[in-house]
Amino acid sequence: MKAAYFEETGPPDVIQFGDLPTPEPTNGQVLVKVGAAALNPIDTYIRNGANYWELPKPFVTGSDLAGTIETVGPGTQKYMVGQRVWGTNQGLVGRQGTFSEYAVVDEKWLYPTPDNVTDEAAAACALTGVTAHIGLGPDNANLQGGETIFVHGGSGGVGSMVVQMAKAIGATVLTTAGTDEKAKLCCELGADHVFNYKTQNVAEEVLGVCPDGVNVIWETIREPDFDFLVSIAAERCRMVLMAGRDARPEFPVGPFYVKECSLHGFVMFKATAAEMEVCGLDISRWLGEGKLKPQIGKVFPLSEAAAAHQLQEDNTLRGAGTLTGKIVVKP
């Protein structure tokens, strides 16, 4: 099978495109013919040498996939040959990735793709969708209908998922964007109030809409400004962090605890299969109902996986501003 893989970590050009043996499913696994895969920042961190866990060699990059079950291994119970599925959490914790024509996946990490949803759409909602669902759920933000949420960067991969899911829950959504185009996109996703962080005083604008502050804050940027965040927080505001692994920002301890705020950090790949299945089934349902729409910024053929990694890295780490939405890769 054709695959995008690397033997040693390093810059995007370490990724090779070539032939690898087609894997065979073992107990509880299925072989998926990949229709589409999606790229996430964590994929670039791993490729660049982030020492999270030991990688198999050669290592196929990629966390997300959507496709059709080609064969099933012994002991499988959920799916049959020919069913369309999507999933995430591959290429993580030492598992092989998804940038290949075929991928072996434990069936516990897969969810049904609705008939009216494309593989590209399902893949583009995978890791980002599960991340948003976990962060908004009872163990973190515990967002409720009728509450207010501020999402920092509502047009990004995770941010766009949070905006849409928060609206599906019944919350009032405030978010930011850096261009008129991205602001328009946020409105189309369902945001109630969008502020241009380059031309507006966001703190004043948020408090103009919510004088007592917001109930939930979702932070997507790598270096949070906690003075700003606490200033827009309501009493007992829940703040969610899911980026900035190396960040060491100043923290306004007094204002934070006087407002009785709480801070929640998480990484999606530490969720159990059972926890992620709750997310996956909701996401499948919302996709089928049209309540969740992926934002695809660029589609690459599998042979150009290195260029896809370069584009993601330029925007994640260097603020290039040349990407709105997810990168999808097609075998």
Side-chain angles (χ1 to χ4, degrees):
M1 69 173 184
K2 296 296 185 184
Y5 63 93
F6 55 86
E7 302 277 358
E8 301 292 339
T9 58
D13 61 12
V14 302
I15 296 176
Q16 303 175 53
F17 174 69
D19 291 304
L20 292 178
T22 301
E24 296 184 4
T26 58
N27 192 56
Q29 296 182 325
V30 299
L31 179 69
V32 179
K33 183 177 182 181
V34 179
L39 183 61
N40 297 282
I42 193 171
D43 302 325
T44 68
Y45 305 155
I46 292 170
R47 186 221 69 237
N48 207 33
N51 188 23
Y52 298 126
W53 42 74
E54 187 174 349
L55 303 179
K57 292 184 180 181
F59 178 69
V60 177
T61 186
S63 307
D64 298 340
L65 82 163
T68 305
I69 294 178
E70 185 86 357
T71 60
V72 298
T76 54
Q77 299 177 353
K78 291 175 62 178
Y79 299 110
M80 298 182 296
V81 171
Q83 280 188 272
R84 295 179 61 233
V85 292
W86 67 273
T88 185
N89 220 18
Q90 305 307 298
L92 304 170
V93 201
R95 288 187 282 270
Q96 280 286 14
T98 60
F99 278 31
S100 52
E101 291 182 304
Y102 295 92
V104 161
V105 183
D106 287 356
E107 65 172 358
K108 66 183 180 182
W109 303 118
L110 293 172
Y111 320 105
T113 304
D115 292 339
N116 61 335
V117 176
T118 66
D119 286 341
E120 292 88 343
C125 287
L127 184 146
T128 53
V130 170
T131 298
H133 195 291
I134 293 173
L136 291 173
D139 291 334
N140 292 292
N142 194 27
L143 182 67
Q144 303 296 310
E147 290 191 312
T148 54
I149 179 172
F150 173 80
V151 185
H152 221 157
S155 66
V158 174
S160 63
M161 291 289 106
V162 176
V163 168
Q164 294 178 80
M165 289 186 189
K167 288 304 297 180
I169 291 169
T172 297
V173 181
L174 299 83
T175 190
T176 61
T179 66
D180 291 341
E181 178 185 12
K182 291 181 178 180
K184 181 181 178 182
L185 172 60
C186 291
C187 291
E188 292 172 354
L189 295 175
D192 298 284
H193 305 277
V194 184
F195 312 116
N196 187 321
Y197 62 82
K198 292 183 179 179
T199 61
Q200 294 177 279
N201 184 315
V202 176
E204 289 183 0
E205 297 291 343
V206 170
L207 293 175
V209 175
C210 302
D212 296 325
V214 294
N215 303 118
V216 172
I217 293 173
W218 187 292
E219 181 58 278
T220 63
I221 67 172
R222 294 166 59 85
E223 290 285 343
D225 178 351
F226 281 105
D227 285 306
F228 159 69
L229 297 179
V230 174
S231 75
I232 64 169
E235 295 283 327
R236 298 193 175 182
C237 176
R238 292 93 70 194
M239 300 184 185
V240 177
L241 302 180
M242 38 66 68
R245 184 171 180 265
D246 299 320
R248 297 293 186 274
E250 292 186 7
F251 191 83
V253 174
F256 180 85
Y257 79 74
V258 167
K259 283 188 173 181
E260 298 186 304
C261 296
S262 58
L263 193 60
H264 305 263
F266 73 99
V267 287
M268 58 76 62
F269 59 79
K270 289 187 176 181
T272 66
E275 289 169 333
M276 288 185 61
E277 185 175 32
V278 173
C279 306
L281 294 179
D282 275 349
I283 291 167
S284 288
R285 176 169 54 83
W286 286 334
L287 281 168
E289 294 172 350
K291 293 180 179 179
L292 197 60
K293 298 177 181 179
Q295 305 306 305
I296 298 175
K298 182 77 173 178
V299 178
F300 286 88
L302 182 59
S303 59
E304 296 179 17
H309 268 244
Q310 186 68 65
L311 178 61
Q312 182 70 68
E313 199 166 84
D314 286 345
N315 283 269
T316 305
L317 300 181
R318 303 179 187 92
T322 55
L323 178 67
T324 299
K326 294 287 297 180
I327 295 173
V328 169
V329 174
K330 290 179 63 65

